[in-house]
Amino acid sequence: QVQLVESGGGLVQPGGSLRLSCASSVSSFTIYTMGWYRQAPGKQRELVARIGSGGSTDYADSVKGRFTISRDNAKSTVYLQMNSLKPEDTAVYFCRQSFGSVVYWGQGTQVTVSS
């Protein structure tokens, strides 16, 4: 069974930074598209950023220029560097791994941006 283990969440002041990590147990990590999604209370889960197997990236408009997604295939890990955080970035952040119809989700990590 594939496991995605997220880490790096926490409480940060507005304008601060956090880096999320998601380590995958899958053996063929390089073929998967990796993504970060978030869900705020009372809202639907939404795409934050994703990175394809070839390294192409895609971002939500709300995080462009502030967040950077990257992957280390040797470590089977995807990262989300979050800078200039805003209170509206507060949410549970989920890692997603997909290849065709195969999708895996992490358990989520809480990010709270507050003074």
Side-chain angles (χ1 to χ4, degrees):
Q1 183 167 343
V2 173
Q3 287 188 316
L4 298 175
V5 180
E6 297 130 331
S7 61
L11 173 64
V12 64
Q13 292 187 340
S17 298
L18 284 174
R19 188 176 83 150
L20 305 183
S21 300
C22 172
S24 172
S25 66
V26 75
S27 59
S28 52
F29 179 79
T30 56
I31 69 172
Y32 286 86
T33 293
M34 301 300 298
W36 286 98
Y37 289 69
R38 66 187 180 187
Q39 187 166 19
K43 294 189 176 181
Q44 289 190 331
R45 192 172 296 188
E46 63 176 1
L47 171 69
V48 175
R50 60 187 166 206
I51 184 167
S53 58
S56 61
T57 58
D58 189 21
Y59 295 91
D61 287 343
S62 59
V63 307
K64 282 180 181 176
R66 299 188 298 123
F67 291 9
T68 302
I69 189 170
S70 61
R71 63 191 297 162
D72 184 337
N73 290 333
K75 296 182 178 180
S76 298
T77 299
V78 63
Y79 303 96
L80 185 68
Q81 178 66 44
M82 304 186 294
N83 298 328
S84 302
L85 282 161
K86 304 175 181 180
E88 51 263 43
D89 294 319
T90 295
V92 178
Y93 283 70
F94 296 90
C95 177
R96 182 181 189 265
Q97 180 170 316
S98 63
F99 180 74
S101 61
V102 177
V103 178
Y104 304 105
W105 288 93
Q107 80 286 355
T109 185
Q110 177 70 46
V111 171
T112 302
V113 185
S114 175
S115 55

